[in-house]
Amino acid sequence: MKNIPLAALIGLFFTGLYFLAAILAPLLAPYGMAQIVGDVWEPSSSRHWLGTDSIGRDLLSRMIYGGRTTIFIATAATLLSFFTGSVLGLIAAVIGGWVDQLLSRFIDLIMSIPTLIFALVVLSVMPVTIPILILVMGLLDSTRVFRLARAVAVDINVMDFVEAAKLRGEGRIWVIFREILPNALSPLVAEMGLRFIFAVLFVSTLSFLGLGVQPPQADWGGIVKENKDGIVYGIPAALIPAVAIATLAISVNLVADWVLNRTTSLKGGRG
Amino acid sequence: MLPVVKLVAQRIALGVLLLFATSILIFVGTLILPGDVAQAILGQSATPQSLANLREEMGLNDPAWLRYFQWLGGVLQGDLGTSLSNGRDIATQIGARLGNTLFLAFWAAIVAVPLAIFLGLLAVRYRDRWPDKLISGFTLASISLPEFFLGYVLIFFFAVKWRWFPSVATIYDSMSFGQKLDAIVLPAAVLTLVILAHMMRMTRAAILNVMQSAYIETAELKGLTTFDVIRKHAFPNAIAPIVNVVMLNLAYLVVGVVVVEVVFVYPGMGQYLVDHVSKRDVPVVQACGLIFAAVYIGLNMTADIVSILANPRLRHPK
């Protein structure tokens, strides 16, 4: 662990900071999430470090609670997409034949519609709640994980140790989870960072469009939406959550890059 | 030439099939709701009588497959149905907005494509030196930034602080061409920035890929300068992958345009779609979803066809 490059260290530091703030939100936030404590759009002061928002709530508190919501939804969606995507991908690769064809063509079909557009179509008839958001985002994103997992697993599936396990008479479940999954894990973990960023940007975009997390619940995209009218008066409140989204995304990217480089060098340059 | 024609025809047939399947998916996507459209429109407090009336009026009592074919038949004849929220014809409402969206996307593409190719070439020319590092740093920042952030930063500085451009991109028919261009400077700039990074990175990768071929080594050993190697030997071979990159990124514009239109209150398709998703106006959402998907599939198909035409190696699949 000594040779972590500076960029990855910075990334790890900020990623850790954001996650910690998300977990400890109720302890860190100086005011309540929906508590009105001041005037509209107060500038930053010693009482309100980031000023107040469009109806006089403390912006720092909203940012901390908002980060909690955004990070929670993104993490849950990423985990769901990894679970569904990698299980289906591995199954498709190991069983092959018509199961593989059916799954792959279906995934191709879903990916032929832009993710945001498909999410909007589904959300137009679903009640917009947090579990539904996680479900929609996680399932739509699992298509990309599926492709990666399947591609990696198809390679591993023809290796000698897998053949040996099959000849030994191990069942498919054993082959998938004990032989292929451990070997496919490192490229999948590196991909996880990128999917997490995508989920953060996606949920923020949906909330910004008014179709994600609903007020008074705070989340970063929603805070931008609530404060966007201030921009034309020169009040930068809407830019603060956007900066938070950007720094979180860049930090995770830096960590993911480092993990990816590490795993590719371990495998002799094979991505 | 025959195998080429056959391959292109196959790809077009696949595109049409995909579009057909997509229309089913979009239709089914709006069926998986608890309750039904009538319930969603009238809300929880609706009386059973008014629900039954609305269901009858919208034909919701027919089976789903019948409604799908009625809808598809209408779409094929240019009839996209009527909007639930204001009862007007969707096709006429979409017409002008689609034009506005294409106008915006067109100008963004005109600026972004040549710029991205030029910067991609520059990154290859100064590989691993500061211009390359600067460009990859910009790429990292750009894929990490949400589109609305770029939009508001530009509004904050260019429209509010320095007052160079309008903050809201309103457009109407009576405006002159120059006024329209002035109105869309900021949204077009945001879209350009959004696709520029991807396009640059992919162009760089495409050219670097070509640069590793044997004929490039020969050219280098002949003593040509790096720039001549790129211009005479690498670029002609990289055109096919670059055109592919451009098409894929124009497809990406389709999504970017939704958010950017909302940021700048631009009267285009994206704004229209988002408005009607919150109003739960299902026919409009289906129509917009289908148009967006069709443009996306069309651009991806064009990318594949251009690669087939430009790269003889692809004409002989194993």
Side-chain angles (χ1 to χ4, degrees), chain A residues 91-124:
Chain A
I91 287 176
V94 172
I95 297 181
W98 66 269
V99 176
D100 183 21
Q101 280 297 321
L102 194 73
L103 276 171
S104 298
R105 293 296 81 77
F106 184 66
I107 299 286
D108 284 351
L109 173 61
I110 294 181
M111 288 183 84
S112 73
I113 306 176
T115 317
L116 179 65
I117 304 294
F118 197 50
L120 290 181
V121 168
V122 174
L123 288 177
S124 73

Side-chain angles (χ1 to χ4, degrees), chain A residues 109 112-114 116-117 120-121 124-127 201 205 208-209 211 224 228 231-232 234 239 242 246 249-250 253, chain B residues 21-22 30 32-33 140 143-145 149 152 155-156 160 167 255 259 262-263 273-274 277 280 282 285 292 296-297:
Chain A
L109 173 61
S112 73
I113 306 176
L116 179 65
I117 304 294
L120 290 181
V121 168
S124 73
V125 290
M126 300 287 255
L201 293 177
T205 302
F208 168 72
L209 296 176
L211 304 162
V224 176
K228 66 179 181 186
I231 292 273
V232 287
L239 297 182
I250 291 176
N253 240 326
Chain B
T22 306
T30 55
I32 46 166
L33 72 169
L140 173 66
I143 56 172
S144 307
L145 294 174
F149 177 60
Y152 284 123
I155 291 183
F156 189 71
V160 179
S167 67
V255 182
V259 178
V262 173
V263 170
L273 172 60
V274 170
V277 171
R280 302 192 172 274
V282 176
V285 174
F292 274 115
Y296 192 75
I297 291 174

Side-chain angles (χ1 to χ4, degrees), chain B residues 159-310:
Chain B
V160 179
K161 290 263 168 189
W162 301 328
R163 308 196 165 276
W164 289 355
F165 301 107
S167 67
V168 173
T170 339
I171 256 191
Y172 26 89
D173 289 338
S174 57
M175 281 168 97
S176 76
F177 185 67
Q179 283 172 317
K180 278 188 181 173
L181 272 191
D182 187 49
I184 64 157
V185 167
L186 286 183
V190 174
L191 282 177
T192 305
L193 288 173
V194 167
I195 58 168
L196 188 62
H198 287 271
M199 230 189 301
M200 236 159 49
R201 206 173 58 149
M202 288 159 83
T203 309
R204 177 179 177 275
I207 297 179
L208 276 182
N209 198 14
V210 173
M211 292 296 272
Q212 277 149 7
S213 330
Y215 55 82
I216 297 294
E217 207 178 334
T218 313
E220 275 168 2
L221 292 175
K222 274 194 316 200
L224 293 185
T225 60
T226 317
F227 208 80
D228 272 341
V229 173
I230 293 180
R231 194 171 55 86
K232 284 191 181 152
H233 297 270
F235 192 66
N237 283 293
I239 286 183
I242 289 176
V243 171
N244 209 355
V245 167
V246 168
M247 286 300 164
L248 291 179
N249 280 286
L250 292 186
Y252 188 77
L253 260 184
V254 171
V255 182
V257 91
V258 174
V259 178
V260 171
E261 280 180 7
V262 173
V263 170
F264 288 93
V265 205
Y266 184 79
M269 286 278 293
Q271 173 93 33
Y272 187 64
L273 172 60
V274 170
D275 278 353
H276 287 80
V277 171
S278 25
K279 287 180 193 158
R280 302 192 172 274
D281 193 335
V282 176
V284 175
V285 174
Q286 283 173 339
C288 289
L290 192 62
I291 291 175
F292 274 115
V295 173
Y296 192 75
I297 291 174
L299 286 168
N300 277 312
M301 191 176 76
T302 319
D304 284 355
I305 290 176
V306 169
S307 326
I308 294 172
L309 292 180

